[in-house]
Amino acid sequence: MNPKLKDWRGQRVWIIGASSGIGAELARELIKRGAKLVLSARNAESLQLVAADADALVLPFDITHANEVLAARDEILAKWSGIDLVLVVAGTYQKMRADNFDLGAAKQLVETNLNGTLNCLNAVLPTLLAQGQGGIGIVASVAGLSGLPQALIYGPTKAALINLCESLYLDLRPQGIAVYLINPGFVATPLTAKNDFAMPALISAEVAAQEILRGIERGEFHIHFPRRFTNWLRLLRLLPYRLYFWLIHKVTGL
Ligand SMILES: NC(=O)c1ccc[n+]([C@@H]2O[C@H](COP(=O)([O-])OP(=O)(O)OC[C@H]3O[C@@H](n4cnc5c(N)ncnc54)[C@H](OP(=O)(O)O)[C@@H]3O)[C@@H](O)[C@H]2O)c1
């Protein structure tokens, strides 16, 4: 559905959310594979640690500040004059159910996960469209596929990103631009470390990064993993609601 990629050497990749977890592992893996990287997130010190001795440009910013993302984009264009791939990995999670609804936390989730991604799009779309080549990958989550307990607001932010990627693909692919929808299952990172429940089919951030890069190399649009878990959730969303809600209650006990 997207062009295949055989060789990462020399590819100019901007990873947004590269200071920890999945984004940091993507950066480490891409450094090994010879890509040229720009690493962004808020924590400059962690980004430097991820870059280590590699020739990667570290541009820290907060994705909720549109002007900071634009300034970073300008710095990248001044250095590279183009971008081959943007990976929007940055995101945050807070467990929430209806009986502990917190408007401030809900708005923060929307601000980071959805509006932050829009700030990134605002910065890179003109460049990608002018180039008529390159790609953008957005990390959503299988929690966006259908409503789940504990994900009262996280889920809707990720559902919005899934829908956004679908529309982006329709708009951008005919213009020569690749779009990747990335839906991980459970990955062991600082984001999930606070979970107090058993996470089925949990994988490491290293494996998640490899799955993402393999999906891009194969030209997939929907990159989801581990499939032994994500395929079940994709199947569940097709069920009639009566059966879906019954199964979710039964399986999660929530
Ligand atoms: N772990 C999982 O099981 C799982 C499953 C499905 C989807 N995901 C998604 O995968 C993505 C990466 O998560 P992760 O598990 O790797 O978690 P993580 O280790 O907490 O990484 C989150 C990344 O996002 C960055 N970030 C957060 N808020 C930001 C902001 N306002 N501005 C700039 N950067 C920001 C963080 O950097 P700073 O704090 O330095 O800014 C960090 O680099 C997220 O979008 C998450 O929703 C994770």
Side-chain angles (χ1 to χ4, degrees), residues 17-23 41-43 61-64 89-92 112-113 139-142 154 158 184-192:
S19 64
S20 74
I22 299 169
R42 289 165 303 183
N43 190 325
F61 59 72
D62 185 329
I63 51 165
T64 65
V89 189
T92 187
T112 303
N113 293 357
V139 176
S141 167
V142 286
Y154 179 77
K158 296 300 187 176
F186 287 112
V187 184
T189 68
L191 184 134
T192 47

Side-chain angles (χ1 to χ4, degrees), residues 126-163:
T127 305
L128 292 175
L129 285 167
Q131 292 177 170
Q133 70 94 34
I136 178 162
I138 295 178
V139 176
S141 167
V142 286
L145 290 175
S146 48
L148 291 169
Q150 315 272 35
L152 191 67
I153 307 303
Y154 179 77
T157 65
K158 296 300 187 176
L161 294 183
I162 291 171
N163 195 295

Side-chain angles (χ1 to χ4, degrees), residues 9-62:
R9 277 175 298 177
Q11 289 287 313
R12 299 162 299 180
V13 185
W14 185 10
I15 306 177
I16 303 172
S19 64
S20 74
I22 299 169
E25 287 309 324
L26 276 169
R28 292 192 182 100
E29 193 56 45
L30 283 174
I31 287 168
K32 280 192 233 157
R33 297 184 192 197
K36 291 160 78 173
L37 296 186
V38 173
L39 307 180
S40 296
R42 289 165 303 183
N43 190 325
E45 213 171 299
S46 299
L47 289 172
Q48 291 291 357
L49 284 175
V50 172
D53 300 329
D55 179 26
L57 178 63
V58 166
L59 292 179
F61 59 72
D62 185 329

Side-chain angles (χ1 to χ4, degrees), residues 13-17 26 30 85-89 137 182 212-213 216:
V13 185
W14 185 10
I15 306 177
I16 303 172
L26 276 169
L30 283 174
L85 178 65
V86 181
L87 293 171
V88 185
V89 189
I182 301 163
I212 292 170
L213 297 184
I216 294 171

